[in-house]
């Protein structure tokens, strides 16, 4: 399972498609050969699924910081409350239109109000939307997951109890217990973890393991005190820890990110393996009507109604209205509730066989057993219905949202821009040249002179340090595909390249050649502390600045079959090759890379006295 999950995610990355599609297809295919339950057993399977989902939500909630909500607080609040209620009502109605029994329709509505980090994160990573859109998607995806799970628990218990008065009382008590238990455990376990971190009780290499143990312990204890409350607990715990001032969680986040990728791949393969072709075929007509209503009616209506009068722009509301893929929480919780309905029916049948103290009580027990047995039969299509919903929504949103986001100007599926750390003269000239070739650029500098000259040239520039909290976590990077760290501080360049490599990819993060580093092993900088060196020949910041003072300027040259790279080098032997642009995408030239001999536009630092 681990190998299949890893291979599917690698293939999806290369093909630039949502990994969940391949994971579901692979799991569905493997499930026809061997059932996950036959290997693990039903109890182990669902126990493991519950733990895994909790870990995923904890990892996602560790990335939710309240400062991201500046200018978006009302929008995010509405998405996590009003949108959920409207969606629940509309999804329930859509399920009933598709032919689902009204009790199960209420449960389906609660289960499918969620989106989730397992489907949102890969799409956001591929889509690279604006910070505002990314924040709204992540907050909704992570926070609504436990809300949907708790709502499903309330609906489930109300269905099992039966009767409006008893159902309402049960739901109210369950909700109060769930929120109270989650809040208390969050404060206690979160406080203990925070205290251990601040007093350095936990060594660096055990931070990830310690936080994982804390999250799992909170999940299990919460579920023991109140069924299915653990997801809300771990989400609140993650948000609490993520927003504690001065608490450094880099080791924890890195550990959890790697673990989350592993878990997601395994979970989707396992859960998809429980669905048979016959079940999918049987539910297909109902599922297709249901999914069409979800995509074309439910999501747009719930988003537009809830976000009216908020800070969200018209373009942002439009994109959010067509972005609601369902993920692992919907699949996992649906499977668990389908099993719980079976258990409830079995218990009711046993109680009916034993009889009550009076004939009326016996008749009531028998009627309740018959009601639950009918519910079991009606719920047989619940898991395949949700399975089809997940596949179709991931396919539609994952494959189609990129084009919509680009048309709305909120994202790009092919980020080709260049971020310059530092704004020396040659970098400003290169940015102007790239802009003229249709490549977006962003310069980051603290030097007032560099910033003012960049603004006078009409360039996009941010006045901040490249390693500031704002630059690393909040700066708008939509459209940016690579980094050139070009400050006069080599250590800043190396650190910036490694830090932004997490977002842009290490293969797209470059630094200038370090100054005064020898070739002996005692003088060379450790490989893990450096990044790929930009340009050919590779030069340091002072060397590039000296060339500019000598009169060299940034120019562009179209390489053709008549004027090839070899001919250019012959005519300009002292030129510094900076970038080549092909198909609107800029690629940083390196000494050990390969520049196409023709068919590209070469951006170089040359002496202008020679004709290009």
């Amino acid at each position: 399972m681990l190998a299949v999950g890893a291979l599917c995610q690698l293939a999806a990355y290369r093909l630039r498609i949502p990994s969940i599609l391949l994971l579901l297809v692979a799991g569905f295919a493997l499930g026809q050969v061997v059932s996950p339950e036959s290997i693990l057993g039903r109890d182990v399977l669902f126990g493991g699924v519950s733990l895994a989902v909790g870990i995923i939500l904890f990892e996602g909630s560790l990335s939710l910081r309240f400062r991201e909500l500046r200018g978006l607080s009302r929008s995010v609040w509405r998405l996590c409350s009003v949108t959920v209620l409207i969606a629940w009502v509309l999804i329930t109605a859509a399920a009933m239109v598709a032919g689902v029994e009204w009790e199960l329709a209420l449960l389906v509505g609660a289960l499918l109000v969620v989106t989730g980090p397992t489907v949102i994160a890969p799409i956001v990573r591929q889509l690279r939307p604006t910070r505002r859109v990314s924040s709204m998607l992540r907050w909704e995806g992570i926070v609504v997951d436990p809300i949907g799970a708790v709502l499903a628990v309330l609906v489930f218990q109300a269905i099992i109890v039966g009767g409006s008065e008893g159902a309402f009382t049960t739901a109210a008590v369950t909700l109060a217990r769930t929120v109270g238990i989650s809040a208390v455990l969050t404060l206690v376990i979160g406080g203990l973890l925070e205290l251990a971190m601040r007093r350095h009780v936990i060594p660096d290499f055990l931070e990830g393991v310690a936080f994982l143990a804390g999250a799992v312990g909170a999940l299990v204890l919460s579920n023991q005190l109140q069924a299915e409350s653990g997801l809300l607990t771990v989400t609140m715990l993650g948000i609490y820890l993520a927003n504690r001032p001065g608490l450094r969680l880099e080791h924890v986040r890195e550990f959890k990110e790697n673990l989350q990728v592993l878990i997601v791949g395994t979970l989707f393969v396992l859960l998809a393996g429980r669905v048979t072709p016959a079940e999918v075929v049987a539910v297909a007509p109902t599922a297709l009507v249901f999914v069409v209503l979800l995509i074309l009616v439910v999501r747009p209506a719930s988003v537009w109604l809830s976000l009216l009068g908020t800070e969200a722009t018209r373009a942002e509301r439009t994109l959010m209205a067509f972005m609601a893929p369902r993920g692992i929480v919907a699949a996992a919780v649906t499977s668990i509730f389908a099993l719980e309905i079976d258990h409830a029916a079995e218990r009711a049948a046993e109680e009916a066989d034993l009889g009550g103290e009076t004939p009326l009580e016996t008749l009531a027990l028998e009627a309740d057993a018959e009601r639950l047995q009918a519910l079991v039969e009606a719920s047989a299509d619940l898991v395949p219905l949700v399975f089809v919903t997940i596949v179709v929504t991931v396919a539609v949103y994952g494959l189609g949202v990129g084009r919509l986001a680009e048309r709305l100007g909120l994202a790009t599926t092919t980020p080709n821009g260049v971020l310059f750390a530092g704004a020396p003269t040659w970098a400003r000239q290169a940015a102007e040249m790239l802009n003229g070739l249709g490549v977006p650029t962003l310069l980051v500098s603290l030097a007032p002179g560099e910033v003012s000259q960049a603004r006078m040239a009409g360039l996009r520039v941010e006045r901040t340090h490249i390693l500031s909290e704002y630059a690393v976590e909040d700066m708008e990077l939509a459209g940016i595909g690579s980094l050139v760290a070009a400050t006069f501080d080599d250590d800043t360049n190396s650190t910036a390249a490694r830090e932004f490599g997490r977002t842009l990819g290490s293969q797209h993060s470059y630094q200038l050649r370090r100054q005064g580093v020898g070739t002996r092993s005692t003088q060379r900088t450790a490989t893990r502390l450096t990044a790929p060196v930009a340009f050919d020949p590779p030069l340091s910041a002072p060397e590039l600045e000296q060339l500019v003072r000598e009169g060299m300027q940034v120019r562009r040259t179209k390489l053709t079959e008549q004027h090839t790279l070899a001919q250019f080098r012959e005519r300009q032997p002292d030129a510094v090759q900076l970038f080549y642009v092909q198909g609107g995408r800029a690629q940083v030239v390196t000494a050990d890379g390969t520049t196409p001999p023709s068919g590209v536009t070469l951006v170089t630092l040359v002496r202008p006295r020679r004709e290009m």
Side-chain angles (χ1 to χ4, degrees):
M1 295 296 179
L2 293 177
V4 172
L7 288 174
C8 286
Q9 293 187 80
L10 179 59
Y13 171 77
R14 293 297 182 186
L15 296 173
R16 301 187 66 80
I17 61 175
S19 59
I20 294 168
L21 288 178
L22 294 185
L23 291 169
L24 290 173
V25 171
F28 183 68
L30 286 176
Q32 312 319 307
V33 179
V34 56
S35 169
E37 292 181 27
S38 65
I39 299 176
L40 300 175
R42 177 171 287 189
D43 292 337
V44 173
L45 174 63
F46 286 108
V49 166
S50 179
L51 285 176
V53 171
I55 293 171
I56 291 170
L57 287 180
F58 180 63
E59 185 276 330
S61 61
L62 282 174
S63 67
L64 299 181
R65 298 179 179 87
F66 292 131
R67 68 166 178 269
E68 295 176 349
L69 300 181
R70 287 193 294 266
L72 288 173
S73 56
R74 279 191 300 166
S75 299
V76 171
W77 168 252
R78 295 272 190 91
L79 286 170
C80 297
S81 57
V82 180
T83 301
V84 172
L85 293 176
I86 296 174
W88 179 34
V89 173
L90 294 180
I91 294 172
T92 299
M96 293 175 65
V97 169
V100 179
E101 294 287 338
W102 73 269
E103 290 179 310
L104 288 179
L106 284 169
L107 184 59
V108 169
L111 291 168
L112 292 180
V113 297
V114 303
T115 53
T118 58
V119 285
I120 292 297
I123 293 176
V124 168
R125 191 181 303 119
Q126 177 182 333
L127 188 62
R128 199 78 62 78
T130 63
R131 288 282 184 183
R132 288 169 57 91
V133 171
S134 177
S135 295
M136 285 192 286
L137 287 172
R138 289 189 301 106
W139 273 88
E140 182 193 23
I142 295 168
V143 173
V144 173
D145 266 6
I147 293 176
V150 171
L151 181 60
V153 170
L154 300 179
V155 174
F156 172 78
Q157 293 191 348
I159 291 173
I160 297 303
V161 170
S164 59
E165 183 177 348
F168 179 80
T169 302
T170 300
V173 171
T174 300
L175 179 60
R177 283 175 55 85
T178 298
V179 174
I181 289 169
S182 296
V184 170
L185 290 179
T186 293
L187 293 176
V188 173
I189 297 178
L192 290 175
L193 288 173
E194 181 183 3
L195 183 64
M197 288 285 287
R198 295 194 187 280
R199 300 210 173 169
H200 306 288
V201 175
I202 307 172
D204 288 355
F205 74 96
L206 285 179
E207 287 177 355
V209 175
F211 273 66
L212 174 63
V216 170
L219 176 74
V220 173
L221 180 57
S222 184
N223 281 339
Q224 287 294 319
L225 296 174
Q226 175 60 53
E228 303 303 326
S229 65
L231 297 185
L232 180 61
T233 300
V234 293
T235 302
M236 292 174 62
L237 177 63
I239 294 175
Y240 171 85
L241 292 169
N243 289 279
R244 298 305 296 160
L247 195 61
R248 300 178 61 86
L249 300 176
E250 289 79 9
H251 292 96
V252 177
R253 292 192 185 98
E254 185 174 357
F255 175 79
K256 292 289 191 300
E257 285 172 4
N258 295 330
L259 188 62
Q260 187 247 30
V261 172
L262 185 69
I263 290 174
V264 167
T266 305
L267 275 184
F268 273 106
V269 171
L270 284 173
L271 293 175
R274 299 186 66 249
V275 182
T276 66
E279 290 174 332
V280 172
V281 171
V283 79
T286 298
L288 291 177
V289 172
F290 178 60
V291 174
V292 168
L293 290 173
L294 286 186
I295 295 173
L296 298 182
V297 179
V298 174
R299 179 63 178 183
S302 59
V303 168
W304 276 96
L305 289 173
S306 64
L307 292 185
L308 283 176
T310 66
E311 316 91 337
T313 66
R314 183 181 182 87
E316 289 168 345
R317 292 197 297 269
T318 301
L319 183 60
M320 294 296 295
F322 292 96
M323 183 63 171
R326 270 62 178 187
I328 196 64
V329 171
V333 177
T334 301
S335 298
I336 292 171
F337 281 136
L339 181 62
E340 289 298 326
I341 291 174
D342 286 340
H343 288 168
E346 291 172 1
R347 290 193 299 270
E350 291 173 358
E351 292 175 1
D353 290 339
L354 293 175
E357 295 181 359
T358 65
L360 286 178
E361 288 182 4
T362 301
L363 288 174
L365 290 173
E366 291 175 350
D368 193 48
E370 291 177 2
R371 180 179 65 85
L372 290 176
Q373 185 57 43
L375 200 61
V376 169
E377 295 173 1
S379 67
D381 293 337
L382 198 60
V383 172
L385 174 66
V386 172
F387 175 81
V388 173
T389 301
I390 292 173
V391 172
V392 176
T393 56
V394 169
V396 171
Y397 294 124
L399 299 177
V401 73
R403 187 178 300 274
L404 174 62
E406 287 182 326
R407 289 186 175 182
L408 294 172
L410 297 175
T412 174
T413 55
T414 55
N416 59 356
V418 179
L419 167 64
F420 291 92
T425 304
W426 66 266
R428 298 195 301 271
Q429 293 178 1
E432 287 187 78
M433 200 63 63
L434 291 172
N435 286 348
L437 294 170
V439 177
T441 60
L442 172 62
L443 299 119
V444 175
S445 176
L446 263 181
E450 291 182 350
V451 173
S452 63
Q453 291 183 57
R455 287 174 177 166
M456 289 175 62
L459 300 172
R460 181 184 167 203
V461 61
E462 292 275 7
R463 186 178 179 183
T464 185
H465 194 282
I466 190 62
L467 297 180
S468 67
E469 187 175 59
Y470 166 75
V472 172
E473 298 184 359
D474 298 324
M475 189 167 62
E476 185 62 70
L477 294 179
I480 298 297
S482 57
L483 162 78
V484 176
T487 73
F488 279 79
D489 187 333
D490 291 330
D491 292 333
T492 295
N493 291 342
S494 297
T495 305
R498 295 198 309 276
E499 182 62 41
F500 282 86
R502 300 171 182 267
T503 303
L504 305 176
S506 58
Q507 72 274 28
H508 300 302
S509 297
Y510 303 85
Q511 68 177 96
L512 299 183
R513 186 176 66 81
R514 297 179 70 90
Q515 307 168 39
V517 176
T519 57
R520 291 182 299 172
S521 61
T522 55
Q523 296 178 342
R524 290 198 301 267
T525 304
T527 303
R528 62 187 175 85
L529 300 179
T530 62
V533 178
F535 309 150
D536 184 17
L539 300 175
S540 64
E543 290 170 335
L544 285 167
E545 191 66 19
Q546 180 61 35
L547 292 179
V548 172
R549 282 198 293 266
E550 292 174 1
M552 294 184 74
Q553 299 178 356
V554 176
R555 292 288 186 267
R556 67 186 187 187
T557 302
K558 179 68 175 178
L559 299 181
T560 64
E561 293 183 358
Q562 291 74 34
H563 185 201
T564 64
L565 178 62
Q567 292 172 323
F568 170 82
R569 286 174 172 168
E570 184 177 349
R571 293 178 57 190
Q572 295 282 356
D574 57 350
V576 181
Q577 298 176 48
L578 306 177
F579 306 91
Y580 69 83
V581 180
Q582 185 177 32
R585 183 179 181 86
Q587 175 63 48
V588 178
V589 176
T590 60
D592 55 356
T594 301
T595 301
S598 63
V600 300
T601 299
L602 193 63
V603 178
T604 58
L605 186 64
V606 297
R607 299 190 185 280
R609 67 175 179 270
R610 295 187 179 183
E611 293 296 327
M612 298 294 294

